[in-house]
RNA sequence: UGGGGUAUAGCCAAGUUGGUAAGGCAGCGGGUUUUGAUCCCGCCAUUCGUUGGUUCGAGUCCAGCUACCCCAGCCA
């Protein structure tokens, strides 16, 4: 797609420019470090585009690293899904995917180094006792009674921890820093805990696992990461990041920089909440088209390019933000507007019978696949006496603003003839089921010869050759802009986020999709084939509707 | 006076040696149009959280104030 030509500029790229100019680095190495405990979402896409985008633009490299230090929450299915999503977005990581668990041996050795230096100790205090000794935001903490244990003893105790001689919660390894630090994370943080859990990478090899703050900085250093980019909530942790790097024997000194995470209106972007939506069945799964996950957006019909463009447009800063859905929608519309071939589908059909069109007759009309791009070619459109039209495109009477079919008035059938509504047939409830009309045979590809102006154009599907189809229309998942701010976010789920319609689609639309992934069903929106489709029943997801200025007037 | 951060339009966001407020989204007018789409043209911050100060000149420098976000997991 036509992405904005200029490379993004942001404070992180400016830091890199300075580092390069000052000779602090001669190459740039970044990394994208998800924990494999859930699916990637649009917020991760921001980080992915930042990290991989910088690597691309500076001719550096970007690693994919699974931050897998908590086996209790992680699973191999997530690592596979994450790899797929990053690749689908169009990025290539350097070498093989890395795992923090690749470094467990080294991490363990560094922990021992800290112990040797008198900078770490095994603490047998209960978790409650540790919490009390930590102090509060305004009061300093107090030292643990185990804080002055000798390095020799600590060495032995850590070995016993590692050998499985202590149970979970019985003891942990802590860095000896400063219980009075204004940074809570510096008050002797736990760096290793006992956990008897199966690890998806290391199996049963370990029963002690390093904590994030100890692991991340060392993993960065081992991989030679130059700029370690993460979100704002880790700003305090940077002090611990630097402390660890300074106090162990490692040459590389990666630097951490923090940017604000993405917030999107009318959805949630925290793994905890997304997991809850899936587990409690509020959505059909991680790839439910209403989900802000990469998998959900993909199934919804979003293209990789549209998501990359979105990330480019929102920028990277340290400001808290709440981006409007309209921003995301504009990106996919821009992409699909140029890339998607046009077709016609009727989602809520009523029948239109052309009384002066011979019953036995039918013909094949030609329609351009794109109104402003001849290179996309054309298709044939079967046409016969009975066609389906949209129920909302007909009214028995209407004012002049209604540019569609009205009794005794004319309208153009898109790519076909001008028709005039003559009479209607209704069901028991009074709903119009059939409109009878006449057509003007001399209006194919031209205006009426007598100069009559026909302003309206409606879409249709041939009654003989149209294919039955199911259409799934989506609305925002929540009915408040910031559901995460609610105490019970589940209660603000939009009950009408999914609408299913049964209608017809023109026969040129088949299971095999165009290159961009979908079509524009003219006057309706962009759609893609859903995986629930069968040979008998096509199922379409509406990716996004067309911009609809009429809807505003009509209200 | 715990500490760490952030304040530029409805939303996102440029603005980096102080020189007179980019761009995008949304919105509003108008034109083209066999999609009420697209496309095109025009409009949309006398003002940068706030109050003072320095200066010929301040979104940019200084001081005070205010608002919001993050931190007291053996989660990341």
């Amino acid at each position: 797609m036509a992405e904005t030509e200029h490379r993004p500029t942001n404070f992180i790229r400016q830091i890199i420019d300075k580092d390069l100019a000052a000779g602090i680095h001669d190459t740039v190495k970044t990394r994208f470090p998800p924990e494999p405990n859930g699916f990637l979402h649009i917020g991760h896409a921001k980080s992915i585009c930042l990290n991989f985008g910088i690597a691309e633009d500076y001719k550096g490299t970007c690693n994919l690293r699974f931050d897998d230090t908590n086996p209790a929450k992680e699973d191999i299915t997530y690592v596979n899904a994450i790899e797929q999503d990053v690749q689908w977005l169009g990025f290539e990581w350097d070498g093989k995917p890395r795992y923090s668990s690749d470094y467990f041996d080294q991490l363990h050795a560094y922990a021992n180094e800290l112990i040797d230096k008198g900078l770490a100790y095994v603490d047998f205090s209960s978790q409650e006792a540790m919490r009390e000794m930590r102090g509060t935001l305004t009061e300093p903490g107090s030292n643990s009674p185990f804080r002055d244990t000798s390095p020799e003893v600590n060495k032995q105790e850590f070995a016993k921890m590692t050998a499985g001689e202590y149970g979970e919660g019985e003891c942990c390894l802590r860095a000896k820093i400063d219980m009075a630090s204004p940074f809570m994370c510096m008050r002797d943080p736990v760096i290793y805990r006992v956990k008897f859990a199966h690890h998806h990478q290391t199996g049963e090899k370990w029963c002690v696992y390093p904590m994030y703050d100890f692991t991340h900085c060392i993993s960065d250093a081992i991989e030679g990461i130059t700029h370690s980019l993460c979100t704002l909530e880790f700003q305090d942790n940077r002090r611990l990041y630097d402390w660890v790097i300074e106090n162990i024997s490692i040459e590389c000194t990666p630097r951490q920089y923090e940017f604000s995470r993405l917030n999107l209106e009318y959805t949630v972007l925290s793994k905890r909440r997304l997991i809850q939506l899936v587990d409690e069945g509020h959505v059909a799964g991680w790839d439910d088209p209403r989900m802000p996950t990469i998998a959900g957006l993909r199934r919804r019909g979003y293209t990789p390019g549209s998501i990359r463009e979105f990330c480019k447009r929102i920028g990277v800063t340290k400001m808290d933000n709440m981006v409007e859905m309209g921003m995301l929608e504009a990106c996919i519309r821009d992409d699909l507007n140029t890339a998607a071939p046009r077709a016609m589908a009727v989602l809520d059909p009523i029948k239109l019978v052309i009384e002066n069109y011979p019953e036995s007759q039918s013909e094949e009309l030609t329609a351009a696949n794109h109104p402003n791009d001849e290179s996309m070619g054309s298709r044939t459109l079967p046409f016969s006496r009975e066609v389906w039209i949209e129920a909302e495109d007909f009214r028995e009477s209407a004012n002049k603003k209604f540019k569609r079919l009205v009794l005794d008035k004319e309208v153009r059938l898109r790519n076909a003839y001008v028709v005039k509504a003559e009479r209607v047939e209704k069901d028991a409830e009074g709903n119009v089921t059939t409109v009878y009309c006449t057509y003007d045979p001399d209006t194919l590809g031209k205006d009426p010869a007598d100069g009559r102006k026909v302003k309206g154009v409606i879409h249709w599907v041939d009654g003989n050759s149209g294919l039955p189809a199911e259409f799934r229309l989506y609305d925002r998942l929540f009915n408040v802009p910031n559901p995460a701010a609610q105490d019970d976010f589940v209660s603000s789920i939009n009950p009408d986020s999914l609408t299913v319609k049964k209608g017809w689609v023109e026969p040129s639309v088949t299971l095999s999709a165009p290159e961009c992934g979908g079509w524009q069903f003219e006057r309706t929106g962009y759609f893609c084939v859903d995986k629930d489709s069968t040979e008998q029943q096509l199922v379409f997801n509406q990716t996004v509707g067309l911009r609809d200025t009429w809807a505003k007037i009509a209200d």
Side-chain angles (χ1 to χ4, degrees), chain A residues 6-18 46-47 49-51 53-54 57-58 229 257-260 311-318:
Chain A
H6 298 296
R7 282 178 187 173
T9 168
N10 58 54
F11 76 100
I12 291 173
R13 284 170 180 255
Q14 287 164 1
I15 288 167
I16 292 173
D17 288 339
K18 281 187 185 131
K46 176 177 180 178
S47 175
C49 291
L50 209 217
N51 280 293
I54 283 172
D57 291 346
Y58 287 88
L229 314 178
Y257 299 96
E258 311 86 11
F259 61 93
S260 56
C311 292
K312 189 175 291 183
R313 291 186 190 180
I314 60 174
V316 176
T317 67
K318 301 176 81 139

Side-chain angles (χ1 to χ4, degrees), chain A residues 329 333 401 404 546-555:
Chain A
E329 292 173 345
R333 284 197 187 104
K401 281 198 279 191
R404 308 180 188 187
L546 258 31
R547 202 166 147 269
D548 189 359
T549 47
W550 162 248
K552 292 168 193 161
I553 301 165
D555 287 342

Side-chain angles (χ1 to χ4, degrees), chain A residues 142-156:
Chain A
S142 54
N143 288 169
S144 164
F146 298 90
R147 198 171 201 260
D148 295 319
T149 307
S150 71
E152 293 69 31
V153 173
N154 280 137
K155 204 76 181 284
Q156 290 166 18

Side-chain angles (χ1 to χ4, degrees), chain A residues 1 174 259 339 359 444 486 502 506:
Chain A
M1 66 179 292
R174 295 226 260 168
F259 61 93
E359 240 165 291
L444 189 60
Q486 314 275 306
K502 302 274 191 180
E506 65 170 78

Side-chain angles (χ1 to χ4, degrees), chain A residues 32-45 48 64 66 78-79 81-87 89 269 271 274 286 291-297:
Chain A
F32 172 63
E35 183 187 15
N37 67 341
F39 277 59
L40 261 26
H41 54 66
I42 185 77
H44 291 106
I48 290 169
L64 171 62
F66 292 101
Y78 297 125
V79 345
I82 288 168
E83 287 183 17
Q84 184 193 351
D85 287 347
V86 172
Q87 287 175 319
L89 279 172
L269 290 182
K271 249 182 228 175
L274 293 173
W286 286 102
M291 289 282 273
T293 51
I294 303 301
L297 290 165

Side-chain angles (χ1 to χ4, degrees), chain A residues 39-41 84-85 88-89 278 282-304 306-307 328 332 336 470-474 498 500 511 513 516-519 526-534 537-544:
Chain A
F39 277 59
L40 261 26
H41 54 66
Q84 184 193 351
D85 287 347
W88 178 77
L89 279 172
V278 173
H282 299 112
V283 294
W286 286 102
D287 68 345
D288 186 299
R290 293 166 294 184
M291 289 282 273
T293 51
I294 303 301
L297 290 165
R298 176 166 60 230
R299 186 172 172 191
R300 177 80 170 258
Y302 274 78
T303 57
S306 69
I307 294 173
L328 221 205
I332 188 61
L336 261 19
E470 175 179 315
F471 304 93
R472 296 177 182 171
L473 311 185
Y474 303 101
L498 170 63
V500 178
L511 237 26
C516 70
W519 300 262
Y526 296 97
F527 288 77
C528 66
V529 175
D530 188 78
K531 65 180 184 184
D532 289 346
S533 292
T534 62
Q537 171 82 108
L538 287 165
V539 177
F540 295 96
N541 291 319
Q542 183 178 52
T543 306
V544 66

